[in-house]
Amino acid sequence: MNINAETQLNLVIGNPIRHSQSPALHQRIYQALGLNAVMLASAQSDLNDLRTLIDRLNIKLIAVTLPHKTAVLAHADIHSDAVKALGAANTLINHHGIIHAHNTDVEGIRASLQHLSIAQKNILILGAGGAARAVGYSLKDCDAHLFWLNRTAQKAQLMAEQFGGEIVSDDLNGYSFDIIINTTPVGMTPNTDDTPLPGYAFQPSQTVFDLIYTPTKTRLLREAKSAGAHIINGQVMMTAQAIKQVELAYGLNIEGRFTFELHDH
Ligand code: ATR
């Protein structure tokens, strides 16, 4: 790409930020679209100067990652419905000085599941943190039966109260799930031998979606696949949420151009 005086600067902020995939992912999207933009990673310990930074550098898009997904809300003028419901944003867009907060993790989750029929299906969700909330919100109007499993049962109970469904314990005998979604970090690099469902007997009829994107195939997905189940990895969601960020920032509708990225693995 050619950087010149018109190149638009975008940022991904978090702390730590060194392992963020957003700069490389956004660059591929900008290049494919011919956008004169660049995304850089910026480690921010606090957000005090964020507004000044956006104004001075005329930043269009800020991708937001941990630990700032909630604190960033105070620095936005307008919050999307998803942001209001989840109390978390992963995207700030600067529209002529008005800062809009969005949560494109929701679109990333929906895109990851778009080829599945969800209505009336039994869906097991592992975990009860911010990512689980985004899954619950993504599925809220889908008429699915949600089952929540979490190390701390009280948090699973809160999920069931907010998004519907029931809580389950580690003993999953007697349950039949069509879709299993992992939102916990269990199995993430470097702990690639861990799985949130040790000893579970996957079925070929099942779909297993792991939000973890490093490794691309977690132990959970490896075991599901070897049992013949359909698997979806976190790279699918990662790509889809970045595409949505670019759509929001530049007023584009481009998802169809990237369908090759969204196929299941
Ligand atoms: P995020 O906001 O990214 O979803 P989080 O809030 O830390 O991350 O939530 C991670 C979820 O994974 C939590 O539900 C956590 O369980 P607790 O509620 O008991 O803390 C779950 N989790 C994290 N590490 C885990 C582990 N080693 N075993 C089982 N569950 C784990």
Side-chain angles (χ1 to χ4, degrees):
M1 69 165 293
N2 294 319
I3 292 184
N4 56 31
E6 304 212 335
T7 302
Q8 166 83 65
L9 174 63
N10 294 328
L11 291 182
V12 54
I13 61 168
N15 198 12
I17 200 65
R18 279 188 59 203
H19 297 291
S20 172
Q21 293 200 347
S22 289
L25 194 47
H26 272 256
Q27 219 53 48
R28 281 169 55 205
I29 299 169
Y30 302 161
Q31 245 156 15
L33 295 171
L35 284 174
N36 187 1
V38 63
M39 175 173 277
L40 298 179
S42 175
Q44 301 278 328
S45 51
D46 64 60
L47 303 178
N48 296 337
D49 299 327
L50 189 63
R51 200 75 188 223
T52 313
L53 197 67
I54 292 172
D55 291 342
R56 293 264 166 84
L57 297 172
N58 196 24
I59 293 165
K60 182 80 182 157
L61 187 169
I62 296 193
V64 182
T65 186
L66 300 177
H68 300 315
K69 285 187 169 186
T70 297
V72 84
L73 267 58
H75 301 268
D77 303 302
I78 296 177
H79 302 116
S80 72
D81 288 347
V83 168
K84 285 182 200 154
L86 297 171
N90 74 334
T91 311
L92 295 183
I93 308 284
N94 174 10
H95 283 303
H96 309 293
I98 309 290
I99 307 301
H100 296 241
H102 295 274
N103 194 315
T104 70
D105 287 338
V106 170
E107 279 89 359
I109 291 160
R110 287 188 179 140
S112 304
L113 300 173
Q114 68 185 341
H115 299 300
L116 305 177
S117 78
I118 303 279
Q120 302 297 318
K121 295 289 160 55
N122 290 342
I123 304 183
L124 174 65
I125 300 164
L126 309 175
R133 290 168 65 82
V135 168
Y137 183 83
S138 306
L139 295 173
K140 74 183 172 55
D141 298 320
C142 292
D143 194 25
H145 306 296
L146 305 183
F147 296 84
W148 299 92
L149 173 58
N150 192 49
R151 179 174 60 182
T152 312
Q154 298 97 302
K155 284 169 71 182
Q157 184 61 43
L158 291 176
M159 293 289 148
E161 283 165 19
Q162 184 172 5
F163 301 109
E166 58 189 91
I167 66 167
V168 289
S169 68
D170 280 334
D171 180 7
L172 297 173
N173 280 325
Y175 290 95
S176 159
F177 303 112
D178 303 294
I179 300 169
I180 298 171
I181 303 176
N182 177 43
T183 75
T184 78
V186 180
M188 190 186 287
T189 304
N191 303 311
T192 53
D193 290 335
D194 293 351
T195 170
L197 283 184
Y200 183 78
F202 294 96
Q203 305 295 318
S205 59
Q206 289 176 319
T207 295
V208 183
F209 172 29
D210 198 331
L211 271 64
I212 291 172
Y213 52 87
T214 51
T216 51
K217 215 173 277 170
T218 56
R219 180 177 157 195
L220 180 78
L221 293 185
R222 294 194 301 271
E223 291 181 352
K225 192 177 171 80
S226 54
H230 175 64
I231 63 170
I232 303 171
N233 74 20
Q235 287 286 345
V236 177
M237 174 186 163
M238 184 69 177
T239 303
Q241 66 78 28
I243 288 170
K244 190 67 192 176
Q245 289 178 323
V246 176
E247 286 190 340
L248 289 166
Y250 296 100
L252 305 169
N253 185 352
I254 53 174
E255 189 188 314
R257 294 182 56 171
F258 289 88
T259 45
F260 66 94
E261 301 274 13
L262 297 176
H263 278 301
D264 304 344
H265 294 255

